């Protein structure tokens, strides 16, 4: 159990001890700063420890925000500070420094021990998170009149209303904000009061979406209607899990991974269900389903690459960004721009409605048109920002872009033989070479199916893939390299499977792209979580993006159409087994070893 040390004698009539116990703390009382050090030394070394001024007046949720958030090694609000086990040593040093400066005084005052300890932690190099409290009260009054005024301020605020409001994302899409969150936040509270965890709600959302996909796969009208309804309910639960995490501060490494991974699995499984349902009705839409999945994956990779390239860049400003900020100040443009990019809420609502009232073919065609427009809009805006931005990218960002590129040993060997060539075209060398590589392989996939020329084109693609990342990816448009490689690999698989024109080729291609996409998403989540890219042996084992492209090209050139379909299936199963086993092992071990809890808001809902 976490330990809370009250510094000073409890104030008569205060609810502080009860609030701390309600938050899961074992409360101890220290009469002097010296006693505080002794109690700190006796506290469990594997649990959170908090120091709270006995004169604290405030809301319980202010204490919850300041003392129980698992994402931060140290956090504080006025009159209280808490640290995770890995920062206990820093807390002990801070207590000694604060106690030495206190001179044994235990009088309740604004600059009492907890606040001095928080300041000492920061001076010692420990980053202390200080949450935004808004209208919540957290203070240490210096006299009875101030205490009375503070209590009146506490009574004047509806604490539960604040918790419910802040449980909702600060930046969400129009559909989610106006049609989901007004009631999903209450579902989150209902779950919290019954001891349900965000991971359980996330799992329920996945199961609901898979049932929806199964209903769509029936190919019957009732199945399509049920699928649309269940998909919306799955999205309600998808919003609820994050709101539950924010409402009760139940953040975890495993939870962030499950939420992000299941979101992708739900959407793409639903695509497959629609394609199966259409096939039962005699309409083959697997190419459209795979195209929709590829387009959505590439949109995500554009987001990931752009953000990784720029989030820690210096002098990171541009006239385009300034214009965007000005537009945000005009209310209606905010909602319009959020709807244009077709975030997950709008996208799932569109899919659900069209599934219920139209055919799978119409659903995919409309989805492709909407996502293509959104992709052009967002990518064009980011290109303009990059061209007008005077930013210096860090080595960390350049390394992340290389990891996202997912080049394997073949590209490293062939492209690595050309060191120092990487800036002949200035800062645009990498994306230009990557674009040439993609154009080469896609042209071959269209025109050279079943021909040896396809193999030579794939080999040249591997060489150019290595050349594109042969120099640090710090150019203004180098963040385009990973999404270009995704287009090269995924669309090649789509085109060759479509050209095979045999039953099972496109479903097998769908499975292969889904398996590889899982690896690419997993790479993003590891980088975002601060754990780094997947191990080198994993990338080598599954060939890297250029290696897999070459394997698929060789199979298409040398095998019959039916055997090519079998080869795609075997490759899909092999890649899926390797990446799933390694990924699950990694995240389970990370959670058990106490990896820092994260809460990735992901794409706006």
């Amino acid at each position: 159990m976490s330990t809370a040390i009250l510094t000073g004698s409890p104030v008569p009539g205060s609810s502080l001890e009860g609030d701390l116990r309600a938050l899961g703390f074992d409360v101890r009382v220290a009469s002097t700063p010296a006693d505080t050090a002794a109690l700190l030394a006796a506290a469990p070394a594997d649990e959170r420890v908090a120091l709270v001024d006995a004169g604290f007046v405030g809301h319980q949720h202010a204490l919850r925000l300041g003392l129980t958030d698992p994402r931060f090694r140290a956090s504080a609000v006025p009159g209280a500070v808490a640290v995770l086990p890995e920062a206990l040593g820093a807390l002990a040093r801070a207590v000694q420094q604060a106690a030495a400066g206190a001179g044994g005084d235990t009088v309740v005052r604004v600059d009492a021990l907890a606040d001095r300890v928080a300041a000492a932690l920061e001076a010692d190099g420990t980053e202390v998170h200080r949450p935004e409290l808004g209208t919540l009260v957290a203070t240490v009054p210096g006299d009875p009149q101030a205490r009375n005024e503070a209590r009146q301020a506490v009574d004047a605020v509806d604490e539960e209303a604040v918790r419910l409001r802040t449980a909702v994302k600060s930046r969400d899409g129009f559909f989610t904000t106006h049609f989901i969150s007004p009631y999903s936040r209450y579902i989150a509270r209902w779950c919290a009061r019954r001891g349900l965890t965000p991971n359980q709600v996330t799992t329920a959302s996945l199961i609901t979406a898979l049932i929806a996909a199964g209903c769509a796969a029936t190919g019957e009208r009732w199945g399509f209607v049920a699928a649309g309804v269940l998909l919306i309910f799955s999205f309600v639960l998808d919003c609820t899990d994050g709101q539950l995490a924010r409402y009760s501060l139940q953040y975890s490494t495993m939870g962030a991974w499950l939420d992000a991974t299941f979101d992708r699995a739900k959407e793409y499984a639903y695509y497959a269900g629609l394609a199966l349902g259409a096939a039962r009705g005699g309409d083959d839409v697997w190419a459209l389903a795979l195209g929709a999945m590829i387009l959505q994956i590439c949109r995500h990779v554009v987001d990931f690459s752009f953000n990784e390239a720029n989030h820690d860049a210096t002098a990171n400003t541009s006239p385009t960004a300034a214009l965007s900020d000005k537009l945000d100040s005009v209310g209606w443009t905010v909602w319009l721009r959020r709807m244009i990019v077709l975030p997950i809420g709008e996208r799932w609502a569109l899919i659900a409605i069209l599934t219920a009232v139209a055919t799978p073919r119409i659903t995919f065609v409309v989805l492709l048109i909407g996502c293509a427009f959104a992709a052009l809009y967002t990518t064009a805006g980011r290109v303009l920002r990059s061209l007008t931005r005077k930013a210096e990218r860090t080595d960390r960002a350049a390394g992340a872009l290389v990891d996202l590129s997912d080049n394997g040993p073949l590209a490293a060997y062939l492209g690595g033989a050309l060191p120092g060539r990487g800036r002949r075209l200035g800062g645009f060398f990498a994306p230009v070479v990557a674009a040439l590589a993609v154009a080469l392989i896609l042209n071959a996939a269209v025109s050279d199916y079943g021909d040896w020329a396809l193999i030579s084109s794939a080999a040249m693609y591997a060489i150019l893939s290595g050349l594109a990342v042969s120099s640090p990816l710090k150019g203004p448009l180098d963040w385009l390299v990973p999404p270009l490689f995704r287009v090269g690999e995924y669309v090649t698989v789509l085109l060759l499977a479509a050209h095979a024109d045999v039953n099972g080729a496109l479903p097998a291609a769908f499975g292969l792209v889904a398996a590889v996409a899982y690896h690419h998403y997993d790479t993003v989540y590891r980088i975002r979580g601060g754990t780094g890219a997947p191990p080198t042996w994993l990338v080598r084992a599954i060939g890297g993006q250029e290696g897999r492209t070459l394997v698929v090209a060789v199979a298409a050139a040398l095998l019959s159409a039916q055997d090519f379909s079998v080869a795609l299936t075997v490759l899909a199963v092999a890649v899926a087994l390797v990446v799933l086993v390694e990924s699950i092992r990694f995240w389970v071990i990370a959670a058990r070893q106490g990896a820092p809890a994260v809460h990735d808001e992901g794409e706006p809902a």
Side-chain angles (χ1 to χ4, degrees):
M1 177 179 286
S2 300
T3 300
I5 301 174
L6 284 184
T7 59
S9 301
V11 177
S14 172
S15 63
L16 181 57
E17 289 189 57
D19 288 341
L20 290 171
R21 291 192 176 95
L23 295 176
F25 285 98
D26 178 23
V27 181
R28 313 282 179 85
V29 178
S31 300
T32 66
D35 292 341
T36 301
L39 289 174
L40 177 59
D46 58 347
E47 296 288 348
R48 178 192 308 273
V49 175
L51 298 182
V52 184
D53 195 294
F56 177 89
V57 175
H59 292 98
Q60 184 185 102
H61 192 52
L63 289 172
R64 179 182 289 105
L65 292 172
L67 304 182
T68 68
D69 196 326
R71 297 173 295 175
F72 307 103
R73 295 177 68 242
S75 54
V77 292
V81 61
V83 300
L84 293 177
E86 57 264 31
L88 283 177
L91 179 64
R93 293 192 299 272
V95 167
Q96 291 178 349
Q97 295 174 16
D105 186 9
T106 61
V107 177
V108 176
R109 61 180 192 247
V110 174
D111 61 338
L113 184 61
D115 291 329
R116 292 198 299 274
V117 167
L121 278 170
E122 291 178 313
D124 192 40
T126 300
E127 184 176 353
V128 178
H129 170 67
R130 299 180 186 274
E132 292 288 339
L133 298 180
T135 58
L136 295 175
V137 177
T139 185
V140 182
D143 55 66
Q145 181 179 349
R147 171 171 293 278
N148 184 56
E149 292 174 352
R151 285 175 172 170
Q152 290 177 358
V154 170
D155 294 338
V157 175
D158 187 342
E159 181 178 9
E160 184 60 22
V162 172
R163 285 188 72 184
L164 286 170
R165 185 178 69 252
T166 55
V168 178
K169 272 187 191 176
S170 59
R171 188 179 185 274
D172 251 339
F174 180 85
F175 178 77
T176 305
T177 299
H178 295 285
F179 294 95
I180 303 296
S181 292
Y183 57 88
S184 62
R185 69 186 75 183
Y186 295 101
I187 300 176
R189 181 174 66 181
W190 183 89
C191 293
R193 290 178 175 177
R194 283 153 183 81
L196 297 177
T197 67
N199 291 354
Q200 291 170 329
V201 178
T202 300
T203 304
S205 176
L206 173 67
I207 293 172
T208 304
L210 294 179
I211 295 173
C215 291
T218 64
E220 303 289 341
R221 177 50 51 191
W222 69 264
F224 290 142
V225 173
V229 173
L230 288 171
L231 186 64
I232 291 297
F233 183 57
S234 174
F235 181 64
V236 172
L237 293 177
D238 181 55
C239 293
T240 300
D241 63 4
Q243 291 166 358
L244 174 59
R246 286 182 288 271
Y247 181 85
S248 55
L249 269 64
Q250 296 184 69
Y251 304 123
S252 69
T253 300
M254 181 65 71
W257 173 66
L258 287 177
D259 183 52
T261 302
F262 284 3
D263 276 354
R264 308 288 80 83
K266 287 180 289 189
E267 184 165 1
Y268 303 148
Y270 192 85
Y271 292 179
L274 276 178
L276 287 170
R280 285 179 175 269
D283 189 12
D284 186 355
V285 298
W286 275 106
L288 294 176
L290 180 51
M293 181 168 71
I294 290 173
L295 180 55
Q296 191 55 40
I297 294 169
C298 291
R299 286 185 62 198
H300 286 146
V301 176
V302 167
D303 291 343
F304 300 148
S305 297
F306 180 80
N307 291 333
E308 284 300 322
N310 292 289
H311 90 273
D312 57 357
T314 58
N316 202 5
T317 59
S318 74
T320 309
L323 175 61
S324 178
D325 292 338
K326 288 182 179 179
L327 289 175
D328 283 343
S329 65
V330 183
W332 65 271
T333 66
V334 174
W335 293 119
L336 179 62
R337 293 165 68 212
R338 290 184 188 178
M339 293 172 67
I340 285 175
V341 300
L342 208 63
I344 187 172
E346 276 76 357
R347 193 168 66 248
W348 283 27
L350 176 67
I351 295 170
I353 293 171
L354 290 176
T355 299
V357 303
T359 65
R361 179 172 292 274
I362 292 175
T363 300
F364 282 125
V365 169
V366 174
L367 181 63
L368 281 165
I369 294 172
C371 287
F373 178 80
L376 289 173
Y377 172 79
T378 55
T379 304
R382 286 167 178 170
V383 167
L384 287 174
R385 286 191 182 198
S386 299
L387 292 175
T388 59
R389 173 176 281 155
K390 297 179 179 179
E392 295 184 11
R393 296 198 170 93
T394 63
D395 292 337
R396 187 218 62 80
L401 291 179
V402 171
D403 292 333
L404 291 174
S405 297
D406 191 34
N407 276 355
L410 192 58
Y413 176 77
L414 296 176
L418 301 169
R421 303 280 185 93
R423 283 297 176 261
R424 283 190 172 181
L425 300 181
F428 303 108
F429 178 83
V432 167
V433 171
L436 288 174
V438 171
L440 175 67
I441 190 62
L442 294 187
N443 178 69
V446 170
S447 59
D448 296 330
Y449 180 86
D451 193 284
W452 280 89
L454 177 61
I455 299 177
S456 61
S457 295
M460 182 58 66
Y461 174 78
I463 294 174
L464 293 176
S465 294
L467 183 60
V469 298
S470 61
S471 292
L473 298 181
K474 294 185 177 182
L477 296 181
D478 285 0
W479 56 269
L480 286 171
V481 171
L484 283 170
F485 286 160
R486 296 298 82 77
V487 171
E489 179 180 5
Y490 295 164
V491 178
T492 296
V493 173
L494 168 60
L495 293 174
L496 293 177
H499 206 292
D501 197 24
V502 295
N503 289 334
L506 281 168
F510 189 98
L512 175 58
V513 171
V516 174
Y518 177 89
H519 165 63
H520 290 147
Y521 281 119
D522 192 53
T523 300
V524 170
Y525 303 143
R526 295 193 197 201
I527 293 173
R528 283 186 169 183
T531 58
T536 303
W537 72 261
L538 176 64
V539 177
R540 290 176 177 173
I542 60 176
Q545 58 89 18
E546 84 294 345
R548 291 186 299 271
T549 304
L550 179 59
V551 169
V552 172
V554 170
L558 302 182
L559 301 178
S560 67
Q562 195 62 51
D563 289 342
F564 175 63
S565 176
V566 173
L568 288 179
T569 303
V570 171
L571 184 58
V573 172
V575 171
L577 285 176
V578 173
V579 298
L580 281 172
V581 169
E582 196 282 331
S583 173
I584 294 172
R585 180 202 64 82
F586 170 82
W587 289 105
V588 169
I589 292 176
R592 287 178 178 174
Q593 292 180 344
V598 295
H599 184 64
D600 182 10
E601 295 289 0
E603 66 171 312

